[in-house]
Amino acid sequence: MAMNSTIVSLLEGVSLINDTDQPGFSGSGKQTMCSYPTSFHEVDYISTYIYLLAIPTICVLGSGAAIMCIVVFTRKQMRSSLNVYLAGLSVFDLILLSFSALIFSPLQGCVLQGHGDTAVCHFFWRSTPWTLPISNIAQCGSVWTCVAVTVDRFLAVNYPLHSKIWCTPRRATFILGIITVFSIVFKAPMFFELTNDECGRLRTSFLRDNKYYKEYYVTFGYLIALLLVPWAIMIALNIFVVKAVHKAYKIRRSMQGGKNNQEEKDRRNSLRCTLMAIAMVLTFLVFNIVAAVNNLAETVWEVSLGFWSPIGNLLICLNSASNIVIYSLFGARFRQMCVLMLCGRQSRWMEWLKVGRYPAQSMVSDWDGRDGTTRKTSLDASTALLSARSSRRWSKRSQSGAPNQPAVRKDTVIYTSAQNRLSLQSTPS
């Protein structure tokens, strides 16, 4: 990850790596009074602006958005294999954004203070050996979760019948657990890369300085596990998915007729989910290109790209914070759930989402008392009441009702395009 090479380069710049004559130690190796640098380096305004202003702002806003995504995607109404992956991705984004704010702001604050004996520097020195590996675990998890999303959409588009058996929420949860365990095991050595000297200052450990560790784990491990394999899978499968989506849209345009049946609506919803996944993966690839190039340059060719390193870190945080925008653009139900949670059912925004944006449709909210879930189905306004009557539970209950009177289930909420858009109908006495 770009932030790891950034911190190592910083340590090399202040001569805290492999320094046999460190301040605070005599030539015989006995500890003396700690001394700290008194000279200040020239201020890098690009890094200062990014690390002290841009990244903290993005991390705060993105963390709030990630929490909202987690709450929405874990609701029973949103339960599907894709939403399980998106909920897991939101958890990784939340961890990455939270710990990035704890790394980069103290990092630049310590640089501006000349790596002196200050509270900011001591916080950065003491926290980084733990926060940096955790943030890298979250990034590794987010990479492979994007791969899982790509595979899920590839199966849904190319094998629509089999995908209903293969792509289940339980199986998605199991795969997400495998991704988490793999990320922790793969990034566990990073907990032993950085340590503190007797004065509390940050320095690299013997493991990080080992030539074979840097060559095989840091370089080739990153190339294979976080760059070549996942990116190749995402790019290859997305090519097939994009072709399948384009073909599906051509079929839709060639179809003629009046109202869409339920099968056509399900196909349209599947296409929206697929487009959302494609946009999310493409955004991930674009925003991580700079960080990938930085890591390759600094680990393979041992060349520093200067200000491109903070820009790469900024784009990583921006990618994690911007996923909610993609979900909102492509997910109608996601928008409705967010507005419902933030503004309430009586909000004007809720009415606009249900009526103003889709005037020819209404929504039936079917509460199932057996498992406590609410299942919403988009229906034409003229057939909403008829669909509610066709429910099996309503049929059993309506047999005892009065004749010649339209009966409606007690637990059915029907949204119509009339002025009173939200009406709770009760069974007539």
Side-chain angles (χ1 to χ4, degrees):
M1 187 178 181
M3 67 175 67
N4 190 20
S5 56
T6 299
I7 293 176
V8 173
S9 300
L10 170 68
L11 296 180
E12 293 174 344
V14 295
S15 300
L16 293 179
I17 295 180
N18 297 330
D19 190 1
T20 58
D21 190 20
Q22 295 180 19
F25 292 87
S26 62
S28 61
K30 296 182 179 179
Q31 184 176 1
T32 59
M33 181 178 297
C34 296
S35 61
Y36 299 89
T38 56
S39 60
F40 291 80
H41 297 279
E42 184 179 355
V43 177
D44 183 357
Y45 292 101
I46 296 178
S47 299
T48 302
Y49 171 78
I50 291 176
Y51 289 148
L52 294 183
L53 180 61
I55 286 184
T57 304
I58 292 174
C59 288
V60 171
L61 298 177
S63 298
I67 294 174
M68 174 64 67
C69 293
I70 294 171
V71 174
V72 171
F73 286 131
T74 53
R75 294 176 72 91
K76 291 184 178 181
Q77 299 95 317
M78 303 288 290
R79 189 167 178 79
S80 67
S81 60
L82 177 61
N83 290 340
V84 170
Y85 291 130
L86 296 182
L89 181 62
S90 299
V91 172
F92 288 130
D93 288 340
L94 177 61
I95 297 174
L96 177 63
L97 292 170
S98 302
F99 283 89
S100 295
L102 295 176
I103 293 173
F104 291 123
S105 296
L107 163 66
Q108 191 62 23
C110 186
V111 171
L112 293 178
Q113 295 177 356
H115 309 280
D117 186 16
T118 62
V120 174
C121 288
H122 280 283
F123 174 80
F124 170 70
W125 294 337
R126 296 293 183 181
S127 62
T128 302
W130 302 97
T131 56
L132 183 62
I134 294 175
S135 64
N136 277 265
I137 290 173
Q139 192 203 19
C140 180
S142 64
V143 170
W144 284 101
T145 303
C146 289
V147 175
V149 170
T150 304
V151 174
D152 181 271
R153 288 299 90 195
F154 174 79
L155 295 176
V157 170
N158 292 275
Y159 306 97
L161 297 180
H162 295 83
S163 65
K164 296 182 181 299
I165 302 175
W166 297 338
C167 304
T168 61
R170 178 170 299 189
R171 187 164 297 176
T173 304
F174 177 74
I175 294 175
L176 202 59
I178 294 178
I179 292 174
T180 304
V181 173
F182 169 77
S183 302
I184 294 174
V185 173
F186 180 69
K187 289 296 183 179
M190 289 195 64
F191 285 98
F192 306 97
E193 286 188 3
L194 299 176
T195 185
N196 300 104
D197 61 16
E198 295 297 329
C199 295
R201 292 168 297 195
L202 191 65
R203 65 185 303 270
T204 57
S205 64
F206 173 79
L207 178 65
R208 174 71 191 193
D209 296 334
N210 186 274
K211 178 180 65 175
Y212 299 103
Y213 176 82
K214 290 193 292 185
E215 181 178 353
Y216 292 103
Y217 175 77
V218 177
T219 303
F220 293 105
Y222 172 80
L223 284 176
I224 296 174
L226 291 181
L227 189 61
L228 294 181
V229 174
W231 284 45
I233 295 174
M234 286 187 285
I235 293 174
L237 294 185
N238 269 285
I239 291 175
F240 289 103
V241 172
V242 169
K243 290 183 178 179
V245 170
H246 180 68
K247 181 179 179 181
Y249 270 106
K250 289 177 64 177
I251 294 175
R252 281 191 58 195
R253 285 197 299 266
S254 63
M255 294 177 59
Q256 296 179 357
K259 298 181 179 179
N260 295 326
N261 54 25
Q262 188 61 39
E263 182 180 356
E264 173 63 19
K265 293 178 181 178
D266 293 340
R267 187 183 299 112
R268 185 172 53 194
N269 292 332
S270 178
L271 287 175
R272 282 204 195 100
C273 294
T274 303
L275 288 175
M276 179 182 68
I278 293 174
M280 184 194 68
V281 172
L282 292 180
T283 303
F284 170 83
L285 295 175
V286 171
F287 280 15
N288 282 266
I289 286 179
V290 176
V293 173
N294 287 334
N295 275 280
L296 290 177
E298 295 178 359
T299 57
V300 178
W301 301 294
E302 298 182 355
V303 175
S304 178
L305 299 183
F307 65 88
W308 286 105
S309 182
I311 292 177
N313 293 324
L314 173 64
L315 292 178
I316 290 176
C317 296
L318 186 61
N319 174 52
S320 299
S322 62
N323 284 331
I324 190 173
V325 178
I326 300 176
Y327 304 152
S328 300
L329 289 176
F330 291 94
R333 183 175 296 183
F334 179 83
R335 291 194 300 268
Q336 293 172 350
M337 295 295 294
C338 290
V339 174
L340 180 64
M341 293 174 57
L342 294 176
C343 305
R345 192 179 296 274
Q346 302 292 343
S347 171
R348 293 182 179 179
W349 288 101
M350 193 67 183
E351 295 181 358
W352 178 80
L353 288 174
K354 290 180 300 200
V355 180
R357 190 170 177 81
Y358 305 101
Q361 294 181 345
S362 86
M363 183 175 292
V364 174
S365 176
D366 184 12
W367 173 265
D368 192 342
R370 291 172 296 181
D371 56 3
T373 59
T374 302
R375 298 179 176 85
K376 292 182 171 62
T377 306
S378 296
L379 302 169
D380 293 337
S382 60
T383 61
L385 183 59
L386 180 60
S387 176
R389 291 178 179 176
S390 64
S391 172
R392 182 176 61 183
R393 294 176 62 215
W394 177 88
S395 299
K396 293 181 180 180
R397 189 177 301 172
S398 62
Q399 291 177 358
S400 59
N404 301 327
Q405 288 187 0
V408 183
R409 290 170 52 184
K410 289 183 178 181
D411 51 1
T412 299
V413 180
I414 299 178
Y415 305 97
T416 65
S417 58
Q419 292 296 328
N420 186 14
R421 293 182 173 89
L422 177 61
S423 60
L424 178 60
Q425 302 186 11
S426 57
T427 303
S429 58

